Amino acid sequence: MSETVRLDKWLWAARFFKTRSLATDAISLGRVIVNGDRAKPARNVKIGDVLEIDNGSDQWEVDVMGLSDVRGPATVARNLYEETDVSVARRVAVAENRRLYREPGTTIKGRPTKRDRRELDKL
């Protein structure tokens, strides 16, 4: 195996994104930072690089520990990176905030009924 892998392939293989095209879009939008710099999808990743990844639902800061350009089982993908302690603490805090302070719109399913609208108007 080579000493470098394309960034979009690595993100897909490490299961941060479901498809390579989603990984490519995120990189192009600046949601993936490599060693403190914005990157392009074709940038090569090597062992020891630090990535900051925002995949829409979570934000990760990881150290690259292994390289792969094929998507395998999640247990293998987990060995490709190691999350930093700061990142783990931040994600735990965000998860706790989501649990304690739910978004008001998450309980509404679909379009409000006439009764729901009246209840909203009372507020």
Side-chain angles (χ1 to χ4, degrees):
M1 185 177 283
S2 67
E3 295 178 11
T4 61
V5 175
R6 279 178 58 114
L7 178 59
D8 58 346
K9 280 187 178 184
W10 188 88
L11 290 169
W12 169 71
R15 295 180 169 259
F16 285 103
F17 296 96
K18 213 171 215 181
T19 64
R20 265 187 68 193
S21 62
L22 288 175
T24 302
D25 292 344
I27 297 166
S28 299
L29 291 172
R31 294 184 181 147
V32 178
I33 308 294
V34 180
N35 296 327
D37 297 325
R38 283 186 67 168
K40 292 184 179 181
R43 178 173 179 157
N44 287 326
V45 176
K46 58 187 179 307
I47 294 176
D49 283 349
V50 177
L51 305 178
E52 296 172 33
I53 305 161
D54 180 1
N55 67 359
S57 60
D58 290 318
Q59 291 183 345
W60 302 73
E61 185 176 321
V62 298
D63 297 323
V64 177
M65 304 301 281
L67 299 175
S68 177
D69 59 355
V70 293
R71 189 172 172 105
T75 53
V76 174
R78 184 65 183 100
N79 294 328
L80 297 178
Y81 63 90
E82 183 176 300
E83 190 174 5
T84 63
D85 295 335
V86 174
S87 177
V88 171
R90 181 177 57 225
R91 284 191 325 107
V92 167
V94 167
E96 185 67 16
N97 283 340
R98 280 187 196 150
R99 190 179 70 79
L100 294 176
Y101 306 106
R102 295 198 183 273
E103 191 68 33
T106 58
T107 57
I108 297 173
K109 303 286 190 262
R111 189 171 170 187
T113 63
K114 195 173 202 179
R115 180 174 177 241
D116 293 337
R117 184 182 50 80
R118 286 184 184 142
E119 292 295 321
L120 287 171
D121 288 342
K122 285 181 185 178
L123 295 175

